[in-house]
Amino acid sequence: MLTKNSALLTKDDFSLRTDLPDWLVAEYKTFHETVTDKTFPCYFGMSGELKGELRYAYITQKDWSNLPAAVESFLTLFNDPKHKRHGLFVFVEPFEEEGTLEAYRKQFWDILQYLHDEDDMEWPKDAPRDPDHYLWDFTFKGEPIFIFGNTPAYKQRKTRDLGNAMVLGFQPRRIFEGLKGTEKGGVMSREKVRQRVEAWDHLPTHPDISHFGDPDHNEWKQFFIGDDSEPIKGKCPFTHKEMK
């Protein structure tokens, strides 16, 4: 049973709790309205939100300290097979004024670096430490997780704009079982979602979007894509503790 002060939130908390900051309640309302729009591209997000299966957390500009506990609590849900499709969405207190895409990108990777630095569990021995390796994935508490950034700075790729706050989506790899890269279910699901994304964004799928395990693909580039159709260049901002 989660306590009132738990870092991990449920859908009901936004209507029942009185201790949540006003900005968070407002941003959740926008998030809910966006992902439950009938034309929203992501079936997973829409269904999870409507069924109350998603989980949430928040951090402020000055304090990220409850994030590790929130992610750890979220991962414990997967000890129960019924929760295998859960997703976690972390709201970041908005900047005083809307930032550039690069400002949000920097904060996104700073947050992931902080989460990694606070992780007291070693990565699996066979998990690559170098983000340039095609099988690199972000791992927390030994669990590989796909994480993607959404910000108001996305003006063309509107599917990545979920309100005035930056929102980080966390999807443990295990929820994609049966939907992996070359599996039939995965290919079909990705194609349907990508068609709907292109309809929302009026842009072709970003060139850095692929599937995990693609030897010609760097997974980290998919975590925070550009607001255009240009491949991301340069090195990943993330550094594994063992490589510092």
Side-chain angles (χ1 to χ4, degrees), residues 2 6-8 55-57 67-81 83-89 115 119-121 138-147 169-175:
L2 295 173
S6 171
L8 193 66
R55 293 294 182 270
Y56 319 89
L67 181 60
V71 178
E72 184 172 8
S73 294
F74 168 68
L75 293 175
T76 64
L77 295 175
F78 292 82
N79 296 332
D80 180 348
H83 296 297
K84 65 179 181 178
R85 297 294 185 196
H86 272 52
L88 168 66
F89 289 87
L115 189 60
D119 188 4
D120 59 5
M121 187 177 294
F138 185 84
T139 298
F140 184 73
K141 297 296 180 183
E143 186 84 35
I145 308 171
F146 174 66
I147 306 169
F170 288 69
Q171 296 177 324
R173 286 289 168 195
R174 68 169 76 184
I175 71 172

mmCIF file of all heavy atoms in Angstrom, residues 2 6-8 55-57 67-81 83-89 115 119-121 138-147 169-175:
data_model
loop_
_atom_site.group_PDB
_atom_site.id
_atom_site.type_symbol
_atom_site.label_atom_id
_atom_site.label_comp_id
_atom_site.label_asym_id
_atom_site.label_seq_id
_atom_site.Cartn_x
_atom_site.Cartn_y
_atom_site.Cartn_z
ATOM 1 N N LEU A 2 0.675 2.131 -0.981
ATOM 2 C CA LEU A 2 1.464 3.340 -1.058
ATOM 3 C C LEU A 2 0.976 4.352 -0.037
ATOM 4 O O LEU A 2 -0.223 4.515 0.160
ATOM 5 C CB LEU A 2 1.366 3.941 -2.466
ATOM 6 C CG LEU A 2 1.964 3.102 -3.593
ATOM 7 C CD1 LEU A 2 1.646 3.736 -4.919
ATOM 8 C CD2 LEU A 2 3.454 2.952 -3.422
ATOM 9 N N SER A 6 3.953 9.048 -0.815
ATOM 10 C CA SER A 6 4.714 8.275 -1.781
ATOM 11 C C SER A 6 5.093 9.133 -2.983
ATOM 12 O O SER A 6 4.340 9.987 -3.431
ATOM 13 C CB SER A 6 3.901 7.073 -2.249
ATOM 14 O OG SER A 6 4.540 6.431 -3.332
ATOM 15 N N ALA A 7 6.297 8.867 -3.518
ATOM 16 C CA ALA A 7 6.749 9.596 -4.701
ATOM 17 C C ALA A 7 6.022 9.125 -5.958
ATOM 18 O O ALA A 7 6.024 9.815 -6.976
ATOM 19 C CB ALA A 7 8.255 9.406 -4.869
ATOM 20 N N LEU A 8 5.389 7.944 -5.879
ATOM 21 C CA LEU A 8 4.692 7.382 -7.033
ATOM 22 C C LEU A 8 3.199 7.700 -6.928
ATOM 23 O O LEU A 8 2.569 7.432 -5.906
ATOM 24 C CB LEU A 8 4.910 5.870 -7.087
ATOM 25 C CG LEU A 8 4.507 5.161 -8.379
ATOM 26 C CD1 LEU A 8 5.390 5.621 -9.541
ATOM 27 C CD2 LEU A 8 4.624 3.649 -8.207
ATOM 28 N N ARG A 55 1.337 5.303 -14.121
ATOM 29 C CA ARG A 55 1.791 5.874 -12.867
ATOM 30 C C ARG A 55 2.528 7.176 -13.166
ATOM 31 O O ARG A 55 3.002 7.390 -14.286
ATOM 32 C CB ARG A 55 2.708 4.892 -12.119
ATOM 33 C CG ARG A 55 1.994 3.648 -11.630
ATOM 34 C CD ARG A 55 0.961 3.965 -10.552
ATOM 35 N NE ARG A 55 0.295 2.775 -10.041
ATOM 36 C CZ ARG A 55 -0.828 2.274 -10.554
ATOM 37 N NH1 ARG A 55 -1.392 2.859 -11.615
ATOM 38 N NH2 ARG A 55 -1.376 1.208 -10.014
ATOM 39 N N TYR A 56 2.623 8.042 -12.157
ATOM 40 C CA TYR A 56 3.171 9.374 -12.358
ATOM 41 C C TYR A 56 4.083 9.742 -11.201
ATOM 42 O O TYR A 56 3.998 9.182 -10.106
ATOM 43 C CB TYR A 56 2.033 10.405 -12.454
ATOM 44 C CG TYR A 56 0.870 9.918 -13.261
ATOM 45 C CD1 TYR A 56 -0.173 9.208 -12.660
ATOM 46 C CD2 TYR A 56 0.814 10.113 -14.645
ATOM 47 C CE1 TYR A 56 -1.229 8.720 -13.403
ATOM 48 C CE2 TYR A 56 -0.234 9.626 -15.399
ATOM 49 C CZ TYR A 56 -1.256 8.926 -14.776
ATOM 50 O OH TYR A 56 -2.290 8.427 -15.522
ATOM 51 N N ALA A 57 4.947 10.707 -11.448
ATOM 52 C CA ALA A 57 5.790 11.286 -10.409
ATOM 53 C C ALA A 57 6.119 12.693 -10.866
ATOM 54 O O ALA A 57 5.824 13.084 -12.005
ATOM 55 C CB ALA A 57 7.061 10.460 -10.206
ATOM 56 N N LEU A 67 12.982 11.259 -7.264
ATOM 57 C CA LEU A 67 12.881 10.508 -8.520
ATOM 58 C C LEU A 67 13.364 9.064 -8.394
ATOM 59 O O LEU A 67 12.662 8.149 -8.854
ATOM 60 C CB LEU A 67 13.649 11.238 -9.629
ATOM 61 C CG LEU A 67 13.595 10.574 -11.006
ATOM 62 C CD1 LEU A 67 12.157 10.456 -11.513
ATOM 63 C CD2 LEU A 67 14.450 11.351 -12.006
ATOM 64 N N PRO A 68 14.534 8.797 -7.808
ATOM 65 C CA PRO A 68 14.970 7.399 -7.699
ATOM 66 C C PRO A 68 13.952 6.513 -6.979
ATOM 67 O O PRO A 68 13.679 5.384 -7.415
ATOM 68 C CB PRO A 68 16.286 7.490 -6.923
ATOM 69 C CG PRO A 68 16.801 8.857 -7.231
ATOM 70 C CD PRO A 68 15.577 9.730 -7.298
ATOM 71 N N ALA A 69 13.357 7.028 -5.886
ATOM 72 C CA ALA A 69 12.373 6.238 -5.145
ATOM 73 C C ALA A 69 11.121 6.000 -5.981
ATOM 74 O O ALA A 69 10.518 4.921 -5.928
ATOM 75 C CB ALA A 69 12.003 6.950 -3.841
ATOM 76 N N ALA A 70 10.717 7.008 -6.754
ATOM 77 C CA ALA A 70 9.533 6.858 -7.601
ATOM 78 C C ALA A 70 9.743 5.787 -8.661
ATOM 79 O O ALA A 70 8.883 4.926 -8.890
ATOM 80 C CB ALA A 70 9.182 8.195 -8.256
ATOM 81 N N VAL A 71 10.909 5.823 -9.324
ATOM 82 C CA VAL A 71 11.182 4.840 -10.372
ATOM 83 C C VAL A 71 11.312 3.442 -9.771
ATOM 84 O O VAL A 71 10.798 2.460 -10.328
ATOM 85 C CB VAL A 71 12.455 5.214 -11.157
ATOM 86 C CG1 VAL A 71 12.750 4.155 -12.220
ATOM 87 C CG2 VAL A 71 12.290 6.582 -11.824
ATOM 88 N N GLU A 72 11.959 3.347 -8.618
ATOM 89 C CA GLU A 72 12.096 2.046 -7.973
ATOM 90 C C GLU A 72 10.726 1.489 -7.577
ATOM 91 O O GLU A 72 10.450 0.295 -7.784
ATOM 92 C CB GLU A 72 13.002 2.154 -6.743
ATOM 93 C CG GLU A 72 13.274 0.812 -6.081
ATOM 94 C CD GLU A 72 14.310 0.880 -4.983
ATOM 95 O OE1 GLU A 72 14.732 1.991 -4.611
ATOM 96 O OE2 GLU A 72 14.704 -0.192 -4.484
ATOM 97 N N SER A 73 9.866 2.332 -7.012
ATOM 98 C CA SER A 73 8.512 1.887 -6.640
ATOM 99 C C SER A 73 7.734 1.434 -7.868
ATOM 100 O O SER A 73 7.004 0.441 -7.834
ATOM 101 C CB SER A 73 7.755 3.016 -5.944
ATOM 102 O OG SER A 73 8.343 3.339 -4.714
ATOM 103 N N PHE A 74 7.907 2.177 -8.961
ATOM 104 C CA PHE A 74 7.237 1.817 -10.208
ATOM 105 C C PHE A 74 7.680 0.437 -10.691
ATOM 106 O O PHE A 74 6.860 -0.394 -11.090
ATOM 107 C CB PHE A 74 7.541 2.879 -11.264
ATOM 108 C CG PHE A 74 7.155 2.509 -12.659
ATOM 109 C CD1 PHE A 74 5.826 2.373 -13.019
ATOM 110 C CD2 PHE A 74 8.128 2.292 -13.623
ATOM 111 C CE1 PHE A 74 5.466 2.022 -14.324
ATOM 112 C CE2 PHE A 74 7.782 1.947 -14.917
ATOM 113 C CZ PHE A 74 6.440 1.814 -15.264
ATOM 114 N N LEU A 75 8.974 0.173 -10.622
ATOM 115 C CA LEU A 75 9.488 -1.110 -11.112
ATOM 116 C C LEU A 75 8.989 -2.289 -10.281
ATOM 117 O O LEU A 75 8.854 -3.403 -10.803
ATOM 118 C CB LEU A 75 11.020 -1.089 -11.129
ATOM 119 C CG LEU A 75 11.654 -0.127 -12.143
ATOM 120 C CD1 LEU A 75 13.168 -0.112 -11.980
ATOM 121 C CD2 LEU A 75 11.275 -0.511 -13.565
ATOM 122 N N THR A 76 8.681 -2.057 -9.002
ATOM 123 C CA THR A 76 8.175 -3.155 -8.177
ATOM 124 C C THR A 76 6.799 -3.622 -8.639
ATOM 125 O O THR A 76 6.389 -4.748 -8.323
ATOM 126 C CB THR A 76 8.113 -2.765 -6.695
ATOM 127 O OG1 THR A 76 7.166 -1.699 -6.514
ATOM 128 C CG2 THR A 76 9.462 -2.343 -6.172
ATOM 129 N N LEU A 77 6.074 -2.770 -9.372
ATOM 130 C CA LEU A 77 4.764 -3.176 -9.881
ATOM 131 C C LEU A 77 4.875 -4.401 -10.782
ATOM 132 O O LEU A 77 3.936 -5.189 -10.891
ATOM 133 C CB LEU A 77 4.110 -2.036 -10.672
ATOM 134 C CG LEU A 77 3.728 -0.760 -9.918
ATOM 135 C CD1 LEU A 77 3.201 0.278 -10.901
ATOM 136 C CD2 LEU A 77 2.686 -1.054 -8.855
ATOM 137 N N PHE A 78 6.022 -4.547 -11.413
ATOM 138 C CA PHE A 78 6.182 -5.624 -12.393
ATOM 139 C C PHE A 78 6.417 -6.979 -11.738
ATOM 140 O O PHE A 78 6.530 -7.994 -12.416
ATOM 141 C CB PHE A 78 7.302 -5.260 -13.375
ATOM 142 C CG PHE A 78 6.931 -4.115 -14.264
ATOM 143 C CD1 PHE A 78 7.061 -2.814 -13.822
ATOM 144 C CD2 PHE A 78 6.394 -4.337 -15.523
ATOM 145 C CE1 PHE A 78 6.696 -1.741 -14.620
ATOM 146 C CE2 PHE A 78 6.016 -3.281 -16.334
ATOM 147 C CZ PHE A 78 6.166 -1.984 -15.882
ATOM 148 N N ASN A 79 6.463 -6.985 -10.407
ATOM 149 C CA ASN A 79 6.495 -8.267 -9.706
ATOM 150 C C ASN A 79 5.150 -8.976 -9.811
ATOM 151 O O ASN A 79 5.040 -10.173 -9.603
ATOM 152 C CB ASN A 79 6.852 -8.057 -8.230
ATOM 153 C CG ASN A 79 8.252 -7.502 -8.058
ATOM 154 O OD1 ASN A 79 9.128 -7.736 -8.889
ATOM 155 N ND2 ASN A 79 8.464 -6.750 -6.980
ATOM 156 N N ASP A 80 4.116 -8.191 -10.134
ATOM 157 C CA ASP A 80 2.769 -8.725 -10.343
ATOM 158 C C ASP A 80 2.524 -8.769 -11.852
ATOM 159 O O ASP A 80 2.500 -7.721 -12.501
ATOM 160 C CB ASP A 80 1.738 -7.819 -9.665
ATOM 161 C CG ASP A 80 0.305 -8.322 -9.833
ATOM 162 O OD1 ASP A 80 0.079 -9.243 -10.656
ATOM 163 O OD2 ASP A 80 -0.582 -7.797 -9.154
ATOM 164 N N PRO A 81 2.348 -9.959 -12.439
ATOM 165 C CA PRO A 81 2.178 -10.078 -13.897
ATOM 166 C C PRO A 81 1.046 -9.226 -14.455
ATOM 167 O O PRO A 81 1.086 -8.830 -15.619
ATOM 168 C CB PRO A 81 1.887 -11.581 -14.095
ATOM 169 C CG PRO A 81 2.466 -12.241 -12.893
ATOM 170 C CD PRO A 81 2.308 -11.268 -11.762
ATOM 171 N N HIS A 83 0.482 -6.259 -14.032
ATOM 172 C CA HIS A 83 0.911 -4.885 -14.273
ATOM 173 C C HIS A 83 1.937 -4.769 -15.400
ATOM 174 O O HIS A 83 2.631 -3.775 -15.499
ATOM 175 C CB HIS A 83 1.497 -4.295 -12.982
ATOM 176 C CG HIS A 83 0.511 -4.175 -11.872
ATOM 177 N ND1 HIS A 83 -0.600 -3.372 -11.952
ATOM 178 C CD2 HIS A 83 0.457 -4.754 -10.652
ATOM 179 C CE1 HIS A 83 -1.285 -3.463 -10.819
ATOM 180 N NE2 HIS A 83 -0.668 -4.299 -10.025
ATOM 181 N N LYS A 84 2.010 -5.739 -16.268
ATOM 182 C CA LYS A 84 3.104 -5.792 -17.228
ATOM 183 C C LYS A 84 3.101 -4.653 -18.253
ATOM 184 O O LYS A 84 4.122 -4.387 -18.869
ATOM 185 C CB LYS A 84 3.102 -7.131 -17.960
ATOM 186 C CG LYS A 84 1.878 -7.366 -18.845
ATOM 187 C CD LYS A 84 1.993 -8.716 -19.546
ATOM 188 C CE LYS A 84 0.797 -8.974 -20.466
ATOM 189 N NZ LYS A 84 0.934 -10.245 -21.179
ATOM 190 N N ARG A 85 1.985 -3.976 -18.461
ATOM 191 C CA ARG A 85 1.937 -2.922 -19.475
ATOM 192 C C ARG A 85 1.976 -1.515 -18.890
ATOM 193 O O ARG A 85 1.675 -0.549 -19.565
ATOM 194 C CB ARG A 85 0.662 -3.073 -20.334
ATOM 195 C CG ARG A 85 0.588 -4.358 -21.141
ATOM 196 C CD ARG A 85 1.658 -4.432 -22.207
ATOM 197 N NE ARG A 85 1.496 -5.618 -23.041
ATOM 198 C CZ ARG A 85 2.416 -6.110 -23.849
ATOM 199 N NH1 ARG A 85 3.592 -5.523 -23.915
ATOM 200 N NH2 ARG A 85 2.193 -7.173 -24.581
ATOM 201 N N HIS A 86 2.310 -1.368 -17.628
ATOM 202 C CA HIS A 86 2.341 -0.050 -17.014
ATOM 203 C C HIS A 86 3.428 0.845 -17.633
ATOM 204 O O HIS A 86 4.461 0.370 -18.082
ATOM 205 C CB HIS A 86 2.622 -0.157 -15.511
ATOM 206 C CG HIS A 86 1.398 -0.321 -14.688
ATOM 207 N ND1 HIS A 86 0.462 -1.267 -14.936
ATOM 208 C CD2 HIS A 86 0.940 0.371 -13.615
ATOM 209 C CE1 HIS A 86 -0.512 -1.189 -14.038
ATOM 210 N NE2 HIS A 86 -0.242 -0.184 -13.220
ATOM 211 N N GLY A 87 3.169 2.151 -17.616
ATOM 212 C CA GLY A 87 4.159 3.148 -18.001
ATOM 213 C C GLY A 87 4.225 4.196 -16.906
ATOM 214 O O GLY A 87 3.247 4.413 -16.180
ATOM 215 N N LEU A 88 5.365 4.852 -16.762
ATOM 216 C CA LEU A 88 5.549 5.907 -15.773
ATOM 217 C C LEU A 88 5.815 7.213 -16.495
ATOM 218 O O LEU A 88 6.641 7.268 -17.410
ATOM 219 C CB LEU A 88 6.737 5.574 -14.864
ATOM 220 C CG LEU A 88 7.240 6.699 -13.949
ATOM 221 C CD1 LEU A 88 6.201 7.061 -12.897
ATOM 222 C CD2 LEU A 88 8.561 6.293 -13.291
ATOM 223 N N PHE A 89 5.123 8.284 -16.074
ATOM 224 C CA PHE A 89 5.344 9.598 -16.653
ATOM 225 C C PHE A 89 5.746 10.570 -15.546
ATOM 226 O O PHE A 89 5.010 10.744 -14.573
ATOM 227 C CB PHE A 89 4.092 10.082 -17.396
ATOM 228 C CG PHE A 89 3.852 9.317 -18.667
ATOM 229 C CD1 PHE A 89 3.131 8.128 -18.656
ATOM 230 C CD2 PHE A 89 4.391 9.751 -19.870
ATOM 231 C CE1 PHE A 89 2.943 7.393 -19.810
ATOM 232 C CE2 PHE A 89 4.209 9.025 -21.034
ATOM 233 C CZ PHE A 89 3.481 7.843 -21.010
ATOM 234 N N LEU A 115 19.794 10.165 -12.163
ATOM 235 C CA LEU A 115 19.159 8.900 -11.796
ATOM 236 C C LEU A 115 20.184 7.769 -11.808
ATOM 237 O O LEU A 115 20.210 6.924 -10.896
ATOM 238 C CB LEU A 115 18.014 8.611 -12.760
ATOM 239 C CG LEU A 115 17.094 7.436 -12.426
ATOM 240 C CD1 LEU A 115 16.403 7.634 -11.081
ATOM 241 C CD2 LEU A 115 16.045 7.262 -13.534
ATOM 242 N N ASP A 119 21.840 5.406 -8.605
ATOM 243 C CA ASP A 119 21.517 3.977 -8.644
ATOM 244 C C ASP A 119 22.615 3.185 -7.928
ATOM 245 O O ASP A 119 23.790 3.273 -8.295
ATOM 246 C CB ASP A 119 21.408 3.528 -10.105
ATOM 247 C CG ASP A 119 20.888 2.110 -10.260
ATOM 248 O OD1 ASP A 119 20.525 1.481 -9.240
ATOM 249 O OD2 ASP A 119 20.833 1.637 -11.412
ATOM 250 N N ASP A 120 22.222 2.410 -6.924
ATOM 251 C CA ASP A 120 23.215 1.640 -6.166
ATOM 252 C C ASP A 120 23.370 0.207 -6.675
ATOM 253 O O ASP A 120 24.051 -0.609 -6.063
ATOM 254 C CB ASP A 120 22.857 1.631 -4.674
ATOM 255 C CG ASP A 120 21.484 1.032 -4.405
ATOM 256 O OD1 ASP A 120 20.841 0.535 -5.363
ATOM 257 O OD2 ASP A 120 21.027 1.081 -3.241
ATOM 258 N N MET A 121 22.731 -0.090 -7.792
ATOM 259 C CA MET A 121 22.825 -1.438 -8.350
ATOM 260 C C MET A 121 23.640 -1.409 -9.640
ATOM 261 O O MET A 121 23.419 -0.556 -10.504
ATOM 262 C CB MET A 121 21.428 -2.003 -8.630
ATOM 263 C CG MET A 121 21.435 -3.457 -9.054
ATOM 264 S SD MET A 121 19.745 -4.123 -9.295
ATOM 265 C CE MET A 121 19.121 -4.067 -7.603
ATOM 266 N N PHE A 138 19.348 2.270 -21.308
ATOM 267 C CA PHE A 138 19.433 2.837 -19.972
ATOM 268 C C PHE A 138 18.911 1.807 -18.972
ATOM 269 O O PHE A 138 17.853 1.203 -19.188
ATOM 270 C CB PHE A 138 18.608 4.120 -19.866
ATOM 271 C CG PHE A 138 18.763 4.813 -18.532
ATOM 272 C CD1 PHE A 138 19.819 5.675 -18.308
ATOM 273 C CD2 PHE A 138 17.869 4.581 -17.502
ATOM 274 C CE1 PHE A 138 19.980 6.312 -17.081
ATOM 275 C CE2 PHE A 138 18.011 5.199 -16.268
ATOM 276 C CZ PHE A 138 19.073 6.075 -16.057
ATOM 277 N N THR A 139 19.656 1.613 -17.905
ATOM 278 C CA THR A 139 19.282 0.619 -16.897
ATOM 279 C C THR A 139 19.216 1.262 -15.520
ATOM 280 O O THR A 139 20.082 2.054 -15.151
ATOM 281 C CB THR A 139 20.299 -0.538 -16.879
ATOM 282 O OG1 THR A 139 20.293 -1.182 -18.157
ATOM 283 C CG2 THR A 139 19.951 -1.563 -15.818
ATOM 284 N N PHE A 140 18.177 0.932 -14.764
ATOM 285 C CA PHE A 140 18.045 1.397 -13.383
ATOM 286 C C PHE A 140 17.567 0.227 -12.538
ATOM 287 O O PHE A 140 16.621 -0.467 -12.911
ATOM 288 C CB PHE A 140 17.044 2.556 -13.298
ATOM 289 C CG PHE A 140 16.926 3.145 -11.914
ATOM 290 C CD1 PHE A 140 17.932 3.939 -11.383
ATOM 291 C CD2 PHE A 140 15.804 2.894 -11.129
ATOM 292 C CE1 PHE A 140 17.823 4.473 -10.105
ATOM 293 C CE2 PHE A 140 15.689 3.426 -9.853
ATOM 294 C CZ PHE A 140 16.704 4.218 -9.337
ATOM 295 N N LYS A 141 18.254 0.008 -11.410
ATOM 296 C CA LYS A 141 17.966 -1.142 -10.548
ATOM 297 C C LYS A 141 18.007 -2.456 -11.334
ATOM 298 O O LYS A 141 17.225 -3.371 -11.088
ATOM 299 C CB LYS A 141 16.604 -0.975 -9.853
ATOM 300 C CG LYS A 141 16.525 0.213 -8.913
ATOM 301 C CD LYS A 141 17.481 0.074 -7.740
ATOM 302 C CE LYS A 141 17.408 1.276 -6.803
ATOM 303 N NZ LYS A 141 18.381 1.197 -5.694
ATOM 304 N N GLY A 142 18.918 -2.510 -12.295
ATOM 305 C CA GLY A 142 19.090 -3.710 -13.091
ATOM 306 C C GLY A 142 18.055 -3.906 -14.182
ATOM 307 O O GLY A 142 18.089 -4.917 -14.897
ATOM 308 N N GLU A 143 17.152 -2.931 -14.347
ATOM 309 C CA GLU A 143 16.046 -3.060 -15.309
ATOM 310 C C GLU A 143 16.283 -2.148 -16.508
ATOM 311 O O GLU A 143 16.399 -0.929 -16.366
ATOM 312 C CB GLU A 143 14.732 -2.658 -14.627
ATOM 313 C CG GLU A 143 13.498 -2.888 -15.457
ATOM 314 C CD GLU A 143 12.969 -4.309 -15.356
ATOM 315 O OE1 GLU A 143 13.079 -4.902 -14.271
ATOM 316 O OE2 GLU A 143 12.434 -4.806 -16.366
ATOM 317 N N PRO A 144 16.374 -2.704 -17.723
ATOM 318 C CA PRO A 144 16.512 -1.854 -18.908
ATOM 319 C C PRO A 144 15.196 -1.108 -19.181
ATOM 320 O O PRO A 144 14.116 -1.696 -19.133
ATOM 321 C CB PRO A 144 16.834 -2.836 -20.028
ATOM 322 C CG PRO A 144 16.318 -4.156 -19.552
ATOM 323 C CD PRO A 144 16.406 -4.146 -18.060
ATOM 324 N N ILE A 145 15.322 0.197 -19.437
ATOM 325 C CA ILE A 145 14.139 1.047 -19.592
ATOM 326 C C ILE A 145 14.303 1.951 -20.809
ATOM 327 O O ILE A 145 15.345 2.588 -20.996
ATOM 328 C CB ILE A 145 13.934 1.944 -18.350
ATOM 329 C CG1 ILE A 145 13.951 1.120 -17.065
ATOM 330 C CG2 ILE A 145 12.622 2.724 -18.449
ATOM 331 C CD1 ILE A 145 13.963 1.966 -15.794
ATOM 332 N N PHE A 146 13.252 2.038 -21.618
ATOM 333 C CA PHE A 146 13.208 3.030 -22.695
ATOM 334 C C PHE A 146 12.607 4.303 -22.106
ATOM 335 O O PHE A 146 11.544 4.271 -21.482
ATOM 336 C CB PHE A 146 12.354 2.539 -23.863
ATOM 337 C CG PHE A 146 12.150 3.575 -24.933
ATOM 338 C CD1 PHE A 146 13.220 4.018 -25.686
ATOM 339 C CD2 PHE A 146 10.897 4.116 -25.172
ATOM 340 C CE1 PHE A 146 13.053 4.983 -26.675
ATOM 341 C CE2 PHE A 146 10.712 5.078 -26.156
ATOM 342 C CZ PHE A 146 11.789 5.507 -26.912
ATOM 343 N N ILE A 147 13.289 5.431 -22.298
ATOM 344 C CA ILE A 147 12.839 6.706 -21.739
ATOM 345 C C ILE A 147 12.760 7.720 -22.870
ATOM 346 O O ILE A 147 13.672 7.812 -23.699
ATOM 347 C CB ILE A 147 13.808 7.202 -20.642
ATOM 348 C CG1 ILE A 147 13.994 6.113 -19.578
ATOM 349 C CG2 ILE A 147 13.286 8.490 -19.994
ATOM 350 C CD1 ILE A 147 15.118 6.378 -18.603
ATOM 351 N N GLY A 169 8.759 9.924 -20.232
ATOM 352 C CA GLY A 169 8.044 8.655 -20.232
ATOM 353 C C GLY A 169 9.003 7.506 -20.008
ATOM 354 O O GLY A 169 10.047 7.426 -20.670
ATOM 355 N N PHE A 170 8.682 6.631 -19.068
ATOM 356 C CA PHE A 170 9.514 5.466 -18.738
ATOM 357 C C PHE A 170 8.760 4.191 -19.113
ATOM 358 O O PHE A 170 7.656 3.956 -18.610
ATOM 359 C CB PHE A 170 9.827 5.424 -17.240
ATOM 360 C CG PHE A 170 10.790 6.466 -16.756
ATOM 361 C CD1 PHE A 170 10.446 7.808 -16.726
ATOM 362 C CD2 PHE A 170 12.063 6.100 -16.307
ATOM 363 C CE1 PHE A 170 11.336 8.776 -16.268
ATOM 364 C CE2 PHE A 170 12.963 7.067 -15.847
ATOM 365 C CZ PHE A 170 12.600 8.403 -15.835
ATOM 366 N N GLN A 171 9.356 3.387 -19.982
ATOM 367 C CA GLN A 171 8.746 2.120 -20.386
ATOM 368 C C GLN A 171 9.780 1.002 -20.230
ATOM 369 O O GLN A 171 10.695 0.878 -21.057
ATOM 370 C CB GLN A 171 8.265 2.190 -21.841
ATOM 371 C CG GLN A 171 7.154 3.206 -22.060
ATOM 372 C CD GLN A 171 6.751 3.290 -23.523
ATOM 373 O OE1 GLN A 171 7.574 3.175 -24.427
ATOM 374 N NE2 GLN A 171 5.471 3.491 -23.769
ATOM 375 N N PRO A 172 9.675 0.189 -19.191
ATOM 376 C CA PRO A 172 10.594 -0.946 -19.042
ATOM 377 C C PRO A 172 10.535 -1.858 -20.265
ATOM 378 O O PRO A 172 9.459 -2.070 -20.834
ATOM 379 C CB PRO A 172 10.064 -1.663 -17.795
ATOM 380 C CG PRO A 172 9.372 -0.590 -17.018
ATOM 381 C CD PRO A 172 8.737 0.289 -18.062
ATOM 382 N N ARG A 173 11.671 -2.356 -20.664
ATOM 383 C CA ARG A 173 11.724 -3.194 -21.867
ATOM 384 C C ARG A 173 10.787 -4.393 -21.787
ATOM 385 O O ARG A 173 10.297 -4.878 -22.809
ATOM 386 C CB ARG A 173 13.156 -3.676 -22.086
ATOM 387 C CG ARG A 173 14.090 -2.606 -22.605
ATOM 388 C CD ARG A 173 13.810 -2.226 -24.038
ATOM 389 N NE ARG A 173 14.541 -1.018 -24.403
ATOM 390 C CZ ARG A 173 14.272 -0.305 -25.478
ATOM 391 N NH1 ARG A 173 13.280 -0.661 -26.276
ATOM 392 N NH2 ARG A 173 14.969 0.780 -25.765
ATOM 393 N N ARG A 174 10.552 -4.869 -20.586
ATOM 394 C CA ARG A 174 9.752 -6.093 -20.475
ATOM 395 C C ARG A 174 8.317 -5.904 -20.971
ATOM 396 O O ARG A 174 7.643 -6.880 -21.304
ATOM 397 C CB ARG A 174 9.773 -6.629 -19.046
ATOM 398 C CG ARG A 174 9.057 -5.765 -18.028
ATOM 399 C CD ARG A 174 8.901 -6.496 -16.713
ATOM 400 N NE ARG A 174 10.138 -6.551 -15.934
ATOM 401 C CZ ARG A 174 10.235 -7.209 -14.787
ATOM 402 N NH1 ARG A 174 9.202 -7.885 -14.322
ATOM 403 N NH2 ARG A 174 11.363 -7.191 -14.094
ATOM 404 N N ILE A 175 7.812 -4.656 -21.022
ATOM 405 C CA ILE A 175 6.436 -4.463 -21.510
ATOM 406 C C ILE A 175 6.342 -4.676 -23.013
ATOM 407 O O ILE A 175 5.253 -4.791 -23.559
ATOM 408 C CB ILE A 175 5.862 -3.081 -21.147
ATOM 409 C CG1 ILE A 175 6.538 -1.975 -21.950
ATOM 410 C CG2 ILE A 175 5.965 -2.823 -19.657
ATOM 411 C CD1 ILE A 175 5.881 -0.623 -21.764
#
